[in-house]
Amino acid sequence: MRSLYPASLPASHRTFFLLLALLFTCLLSACNDDDAPQPPAGLTYGMTSAIYQVGTAIVANRPTASGGAIDRYAVSPALPAGLSLDAATGVISGTPTAASASTVYTVMAQNAAGTATARVQIEVRGAAAAPAALTYRETTVTYTVGAAIPANAPTSSGGPITTYAIAPALPAGLTLDAQTGIISGTPTAAAPATTYTVTGTNVAGTVTVTLRITVQLAVAAPASLSYATANALYVTTEPITPNTPVSTGGPIASFTVSPALPAGLSLNANTGAITGTPAARQPSATYTIVGSNAAGSAQAQLQIGVTARGSFSTATPPAPMPLPVHYFAATRLPNGIVLVTGGFSAGGITNSAWLYDPNANAWSPAASMTTPRNGHTATLLSDGRVLVAGGQIATSTETATAEIFDPLANTWTPVASMSETRENHTATLLGNGKVLVAGGFDLSGAHTFRAGMELFDPVTATWTQMTHPLSTPRGQHAAALLPDGNVLMVGGVNSSGFVTSAERVAIDDSGTTVQPAPISGNVTMGTVLNDGTILATSDRSNNAYRYDPATATWTASTMLATRAIPTITTLADGRVLVAGGTISGGVRTNTTEIYNPDTNTWTAGASMTDGRGAAQAVVLADGSVLIMGGFSGSGEVSSVERYTP
């Protein structure tokens, strides 16, 4: 290799030349970075939703984009028969030859630096459809004499518009393209604020939109900027409906956004439209859009989050349960294996226990419990053992017995019994390693609902009854460990009906604090979120409620369905998966939905193969969720499904 400096130079001079060469290399690299191609951005179409007619040539649907020059276009899935996408220009044209259902098509604009995507929804009918909607990028705008305006292009839906007209005539120097509807030109004289009506027509009907246009002598800054959707929650892999800006004051010449939009989304620097297909899930965040011209700028803030529907394994589904059951318990052990205990099977209440290994996708029998039981609790102790307590051992016969499973020895050891028989109670592992058991009921005789609480100490294997019971007896309630180490009991049922209160249980046995709760139902289910708040719901409505321990307040959200005994699971990423359950008409559904805590909204998730209620769900070590067993309405469900968020 040739030297960068003469060998005869002194060492100090050689050092100088070496540094000079390194500086030159860095500057050259920086210049090359500045010249690097930019990916396309802000791809959108003039008609984002169109209804075409068989046998009638469509009005060419043309794209707009900013960013780097586009090398090629592609679309997925294939367009309806007779229509085509020009790979070089992105124009959609042609004559439909057959009817087709309304379908969302994803158009991809690509160059060497990246890809932008846009959503186009197309339906082909046998008869012509009238235009359904017409709007413009700028509906209230101020232009300046002598300054060419940014082309103001329309978007429409329904049947394609074949001709455009405007009344009254535009200000001098501006024109409306009768075929495309684009308003362009350079104003030549001032004009007062005037309302103009643009009419879009095809053979089936018309649609109108009003614009407010002012022409002034001096450049004016934009006065305001807002977006059609200020708080958006998108779904990965699904192209978004373009989010377009609305501004007043001087026309906006360029748009910028900070920070960068979620991967797969982009901002059109000329029109301000946000388009694309989100590539990855991310929590809701604030984005600032700035619209500028030579005289100034205006800005808008958007909240954008991206969720995902997830998927269930279909190519290699988990092995089915050797003994299908419902009303059982499932516990993930420290080694990642899942322990299933008891439950109600076709043969009645069982004492069987099974181990599922996710890595081997195989079940193996564990030692049987000493007592058959369903409606019991199974609590993973701090030392890796599992405490099983209470439950029903025969029809209308509850038990106070408890036993501990040792995974290393594969043995069950009976321990001291609780002071009361109970099923459908709660068991909460406390920060000190003890377990708090509360409530439940006994169906023998008068159907007694329990208010008593007791603590299990794994060190001594004994129970201590709490001096202060619950203020209200309750069973089928939810319990959650609070950030301060105490426990919240929510909802449930007792002999008086649905329990519409919550109470904080002080683990130092100083009593409970009662407060109203919006929950009302036969069975209350809850889960602790990553921020320490608690999400709870019941089988009486599609409302869910989030409890903030810091303020002792509840925030409501609306689920997609009312579900009885679904599974409710906090995912590793902080969202909540609710799966299955019984919906209207007594149907055990296979649907799921996802709670997004950053937006307090629900999104449909991927569907299971089988409908089920009274199943169990466990988060595995890799963040996936194992959903198993349950009841279908006619019998126990043997299948096991694995959900990947």
Side-chain angles (χ1 to χ4, degrees):
M1 178 177 176
R2 183 178 178 183
S3 174
L4 294 174
Y5 49 83
S8 59
L9 285 179
S12 61
H13 289 193
R14 294 181 185 179
T15 301
F16 170 78
F17 275 104
L18 178 58
L19 292 174
L20 188 62
L22 290 173
L23 178 60
F24 175 77
T25 301
C26 291
L27 289 174
L28 181 60
S29 174
C31 290
N32 289 341
D33 288 343
D34 290 341
D35 293 338
Q38 298 298 311
L43 179 67
T44 189
Y45 273 77
M47 290 193 68
T48 58
S49 178
I51 301 173
Y52 298 129
Q53 181 183 2
V54 173
T56 300
I58 74 170
V59 176
N61 197 1
R62 302 178 185 277
T64 59
S66 63
I70 296 170
D71 294 336
R72 60 195 176 278
Y73 290 84
V75 64
S76 177
L79 292 172
L83 300 185
S84 63
L85 175 87
D86 189 306
T89 65
V91 173
I92 297 172
S93 60
T95 302
T97 58
S100 66
S102 179
T103 302
V104 173
Y105 299 87
T106 301
V107 179
M108 294 151 283
Q110 300 171 315
N111 65 17
T115 301
T117 59
R119 165 195 173 111
V120 179
Q121 189 165 356
I122 298 174
E123 178 182 356
V124 180
R125 296 180 181 175
L134 174 62
T135 188
Y136 273 79
R137 179 172 66 88
E138 293 178 320
T139 56
T140 302
V141 65
T142 300
Y143 298 128
T144 304
V145 172
I149 73 169
N152 196 4
T155 58
S156 64
S157 62
I161 295 171
T162 54
T163 58
Y164 292 83
I166 191 167
L170 286 167
L174 300 184
T175 60
L176 173 85
D177 188 304
Q179 287 188 319
T180 66
I182 294 174
I183 298 171
S184 60
T186 302
T188 58
T194 303
T195 299
Y196 299 84
T197 300
V198 178
T199 301
T201 305
N202 68 16
V203 295
T206 62
V207 66
T208 62
V209 64
T210 58
L211 308 179
R212 188 80 170 168
I213 300 176
T214 305
V215 179
Q216 62 179 13
L217 293 175
V219 176
S224 68
L225 175 63
S226 61
Y227 271 76
T229 305
N231 193 336
L233 180 65
Y234 299 127
V235 179
T236 57
T237 73
E238 298 179 13
I240 73 170
T241 300
N243 196 3
T244 53
V246 176
S247 64
T248 61
I252 294 175
S254 63
F255 293 83
T256 59
V257 61
S258 179
L261 291 170
L265 300 185
S266 60
L267 174 81
N268 188 308
N270 300 322
T271 67
I274 297 172
T275 59
T277 304
R281 198 202 72 80
Q282 73 168 52
S284 182
T286 301
Y287 298 85
T288 300
I289 313 289
V290 178
S292 307
N293 64 17
S297 63
Q299 68 178 38
Q301 287 194 325
L302 306 181
Q303 292 293 125
I304 300 177
V306 181
T307 189
R309 303 198 192 282
S311 61
F312 282 91
S313 303
T314 54
T316 308
M321 299 181 76
L323 178 65
V325 286
H326 68 283
Y327 294 151
F328 62 104
T331 311
R332 192 186 102 193
L333 303 176
N335 61 3
I337 290 176
V338 177
L339 171 69
V340 166
T341 54
F344 195 94
S345 69
I349 301 172
T350 179
N351 68 340
S352 67
W354 297 87
L355 296 168
Y356 176 75
D357 184 341
N359 295 324
N361 187 21
W363 291 88
S364 60
S368 296
M369 294 185 293
T370 59
T371 302
R373 56 184 91 219
N374 69 207
H376 55 289
T377 56
T379 308
L380 180 67
L381 302 176
S382 302
D383 60 9
R385 296 179 300 160
V386 178
L387 171 70
V388 168
Q392 188 180 80
I393 59 174
T395 302
S396 298
T397 305
E398 280 66 37
T399 183
T401 61
E403 51 191 303
I404 289 181
F405 178 69
D406 184 341
L408 299 179
N410 188 26
T411 57
W412 289 93
T413 303
V415 293
S417 294
M418 297 179 290
S419 61
E420 295 179 303
T421 57
R422 61 180 93 218
E423 71 163 307
N424 287 1
H425 51 283
T426 57
T428 308
L429 180 68
L430 305 178
N432 59 12
K434 296 182 179 181
V435 178
L436 174 68
V437 166
F441 53 77
D442 186 313
L443 295 179
S444 61
H447 292 192
T448 304
F449 286 86
R450 304 297 190 189
M453 296 184 289
E454 40 198 313
L455 287 170
F456 179 77
D457 186 342
V459 176
T460 61
T462 57
W463 295 89
T464 302
Q465 192 167 10
M466 299 277 277
T467 303
H468 296 87
L470 292 169
S471 64
T472 302
R474 61 181 82 210
Q476 298 179 169
H477 56 288
L481 184 67
L482 297 170
D484 63 6
N486 296 312
V487 179
L488 184 74
M489 305 290 173
V490 185
V493 66
N494 62 22
S495 56
S496 299
F498 304 139
V499 181
T500 56
S501 68
E503 49 188 312
R504 287 181 179 231
V505 176
I507 61 170
D508 63 1
D509 204 7
S510 59
T512 69
T513 304
V514 182
Q515 56 187 257
I519 299 291
S520 176
N522 185 48
V523 179
T524 300
M525 305 187 72
T527 185
V528 180
L529 305 185
N530 288 353
D531 64 357
T533 59
I534 296 151
L535 185 70
T537 184
S538 78
D539 54 359
R540 292 288 292 176
S541 78
N542 64 339
N543 290 329
Y545 299 90
R546 185 173 176 181
Y547 178 77
D548 184 346
T551 59
T553 56
W554 298 87
T555 301
S557 61
T558 303
M559 299 176 64
L560 306 180
T562 300
R563 302 169 184 265
I565 323 182
T567 62
I568 181 168
T569 311
T570 299
L571 303 174
D573 59 26
R575 297 177 299 153
V576 176
L577 173 69
V578 173
T582 304
I583 58 174
S584 59
V587 175
R588 272 68 175 186
T589 183
N590 66 340
T591 63
T592 73
E593 52 188 293
I594 298 165
Y595 177 70
N596 304 279
D598 48 336
T599 59
N600 193 40
T601 57
W602 293 83
T603 306
S607 292
M608 298 181 289
T609 300
D610 295 314
R612 64 186 79 215
Q616 288 289 327
V618 174
V619 179
L620 301 179
D622 64 357
S624 64
V625 180
L626 198 70
I627 301 177
M628 64 203 92
F631 191 71
S632 68
S634 58
E636 285 69 35
V637 180
S638 63
S639 67
V640 178
E641 310 199 41
R642 190 166 181 171
Y643 173 81
T644 300

